[in-house]
Amino acid sequence: MVDESVKPLLFPEAFYLATKGGGAFFGKVGSFEEDYDFDAIVLDDTSLVHPQELSIIERLERAVYLGLDTHGIRAKYAAGERIML
């Protein structure tokens, strides 16, 4: 059952919960701030054609919503170490 009185999360809110908000449980992860572990993925979204220029945030949101496949992931980092080329 869907509660129609509750608004859905906006993308920035969901992204926060998936990164820094959720990472707080594990320590200093989920952010690019100083003294945080460097965990990141490098995305290549050039295969996702769009008729106009998009901001970085719009490109990230599009990649998430469209489910950018693993071919778009160019690198992964965990605790500062590159774990995938």
Side-chain angles (χ1 to χ4, degrees):
M1 178 178 208
V2 176
D3 184 348
E4 297 294 335
S5 69
V6 179
K7 293 171 48 176
L9 291 176
L10 299 174
F11 181 78
E13 296 167 327
F15 189 74
Y16 171 80
L17 290 173
T19 56
K20 189 173 183 180
F25 179 79
F26 299 101
K28 290 191 140 198
V29 298
S31 178
F32 292 132
E33 295 174 79
E34 189 174 340
D35 295 327
Y36 277 66
D37 283 344
F38 180 71
D39 300 328
I41 59 172
V42 178
L43 295 176
D44 178 1
D45 67 348
T46 55
S47 65
L48 302 175
V49 181
H50 198 275
Q52 59 209 114
E53 191 76 21
L54 297 174
S55 70
I56 295 294
I57 293 172
E58 291 168 328
R59 290 171 59 195
L60 176 61
E61 187 172 0
R62 178 182 63 164
V64 168
Y65 285 138
L66 293 178
L68 187 64
D69 64 14
T70 56
H71 298 292
I73 298 175
R74 295 292 176 239
K76 289 183 185 180
Y77 293 86
E81 298 291 323
R82 190 172 186 155
I83 59 173
M84 181 192 134
L85 297 176

